[in-house]
Amino acid sequence: MYLDGKQVLYWMKGNASAADFISMVMEISHLWDDLIDKDKPLEDEVVNQCFFDALIRLPRNEFYRKNFDHLNSVMMNSISNWLIANDMERGGGELELNIAFILRSSYVDLITQSALLIGGQAWASQVGKDVRKLTHHEKYKGYLRALDEEKKARQAAAR
């Protein structure tokens, strides 16, 4: 899921530092996913920039620094859920795939929790509904098609 910068800024009620935090985490998350899925070629410059963002820019982000204790725990949980989803996708049956479909997108909790910190619970609930609909717009059948393509790409890369 790639987010429109204006949409993220709206969800963050104009807080540019929060929007930058969200954008960086989404870009880092997607590159990490692409590295693991091996489903598309990645330019060295893109990988280098992403690692620079993860190691240098993200820890210096004002919003993240101010809310580190809260957001870092959410990020840790999101990563754990993504790893679990990957395992379930690769070795599971129908139930595991149903669970993985939702579980793998736990990273969007960072958006909801950032909205909570900025605008309170009612705002977080509104943003959460919007972002979940956007995240799962492909629906389950689309997810299964994409997963099948990723499996084929991983197999081809392994050869």
Side-chain angles (χ1 to χ4, degrees):
M1 174 183 79
Y2 292 96
L3 298 174
D4 175 82
K6 289 180 184 178
Q7 182 66 53
V8 174
L9 195 57
Y10 170 75
W11 286 333
M12 298 301 112
K13 291 190 167 269
N15 184 320
S17 181
D20 192 42
F21 164 73
I22 295 298
S23 295
M24 268 192 285
V25 171
M26 294 303 117
E27 288 174 23
I28 292 164
S29 299
H30 285 295
L31 182 118
W32 190 356
D33 188 66
D34 291 341
L35 286 169
I36 296 302
D37 290 343
K38 299 174 182 66
D39 60 342
K40 62 172 130 176
L42 296 167
E43 300 294 323
D44 290 352
E45 186 174 323
V46 171
V47 174
N48 289 334
Q49 182 62 54
C50 188
F51 274 83
F52 183 85
D53 289 349
L55 296 170
I56 306 301
R57 285 188 59 228
L58 184 63
R60 294 179 180 196
N61 177 274
E62 178 185 342
F63 179 75
Y64 186 44
R65 290 171 69 104
K66 179 181 175 186
N67 298 289
F68 178 83
D69 289 342
H70 185 90
L71 295 171
N72 189 257
S73 295
V74 176
M75 191 180 309
M76 184 172 46
N77 191 63
S78 297
I79 291 168
S80 294
N81 283 340
W82 176 73
L83 294 170
I84 292 165
N86 281 339
D87 286 345
M88 293 178 100
E89 287 172 349
R90 292 180 183 176
E94 184 179 350
L95 175 61
E96 287 83 0
L97 290 175
N98 275 284
I99 294 167
F101 173 57
I102 300 299
L103 195 60
R104 72 176 292 105
S105 64
S106 293
Y107 64 89
V108 301
D109 292 339
L110 283 168
I111 298 170
T112 305
Q113 290 300 299
S114 295
L116 174 78
L117 292 168
I118 290 168
Q121 184 57 50
W123 181 245
S125 182
Q126 180 180 335
V127 168
K129 287 183 243 175
D130 291 346
V131 76
R132 285 289 171 186
K133 285 188 231 172
L134 183 63
T135 302
H136 296 105
H137 74 278
E138 68 181 346
K139 300 185 181 152
Y140 186 65
K141 286 183 182 182
Y143 160 74
L144 291 177
R145 277 193 301 274
L147 187 58
D148 187 52
E149 292 300 316
E150 288 171 9
K151 285 180 182 178
K152 290 176 185 173
R154 269 195 312 279
Q155 290 169 350
R159 290 183 206 148

